């Protein structure tokens, strides 16, 4: 939790809950979400299948992925086909743990010129 900068959100967005921003590292969500982009995340403990979320694994590894839920567990799906989908069983979700921190509600691409 290192604060690098501040991002302004609209009053309408602020009224929907607590939010935070993250600067993306890595290429697993390309081509839509690129390294250096900032994503705005609404804090929430659960999301719907198909949503893009921030997930904390092992208590310290945060990742941004699309979520697919099933009766057996949860799959974290990258946009980039060069990366593998990661599946966590219901048991692993509890034991590791695997925790949803929030839903990505806005992408702010950063100028790369």
């Amino acid at each position: 939790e290192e604060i690098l900068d501040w991002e302004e959100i609209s009053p309408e967005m602020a009224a929907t809950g607590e939010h935070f921003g993250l600067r993306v590292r890595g290429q697993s969500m390309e081509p839509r979400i690129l390294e250096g982009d900032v994503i705005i995340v609404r804090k929430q403990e659960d999301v719907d299948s198909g949503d893009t979320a921030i997930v904390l694994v092992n208590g310290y590894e945060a990742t941004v992925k699309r979520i697919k839920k099933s009766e057996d567990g949860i799959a974290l799906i990258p946009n980039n086909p060069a990366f593998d989908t990661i599946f966590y069983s219901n048991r692993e979700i509890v034991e590791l743990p695997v925790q949803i921190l929030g839903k990505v509600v806005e992408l702010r691409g950063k100028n790369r010129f």
Side-chain angles (χ1 to χ4, degrees):
E1 292 186 11
E2 179 184 351
I3 297 175
L4 300 176
D5 201 355
W6 296 95
E7 292 281 333
E8 188 172 327
I9 61 173
S10 70
E12 295 80 18
M13 184 181 290
T16 66
E18 190 174 344
H19 294 76
F20 62 94
L22 289 176
R23 185 170 313 279
V24 174
R25 289 188 306 170
Q27 293 83 34
S28 71
M29 294 305 283
E30 290 180 356
R32 178 72 178 114
I33 301 173
L34 303 175
E35 184 158 358
D37 286 349
V38 171
I39 51 177
I40 305 299
V41 181
R42 181 176 52 238
K43 283 188 177 182
Q44 56 189 72
E45 295 178 1
D46 196 16
V47 296
D48 294 329
S49 233
D51 286 343
T52 300
I54 301 301
V55 180
L56 191 64
V57 180
N58 293 326
Y60 63 90
E61 297 174 32
T63 186
V64 56
K65 298 286 185 287
R66 275 183 299 119
I67 303 300
K68 183 175 182 183
K69 295 179 179 180
S70 70
E71 289 183 16
D72 299 324
I74 188 171
L76 307 183
I77 305 169
N79 285 344
N80 187 336
F83 290 79
D84 293 329
T85 294
I86 302 168
F87 180 81
Y88 293 101
S89 69
N90 290 325
R91 181 177 177 178
E92 290 172 314
I93 290 169
V94 172
E95 291 179 356
L96 288 175
V98 178
Q99 176 187 6
I100 294 172
L101 298 181
K103 177 180 176 179
V104 176
V105 294
E106 187 176 319
L107 168 64
R108 296 184 178 180
K110 295 300 174 183
N111 189 344
R112 290 168 180 76
F113 299 104

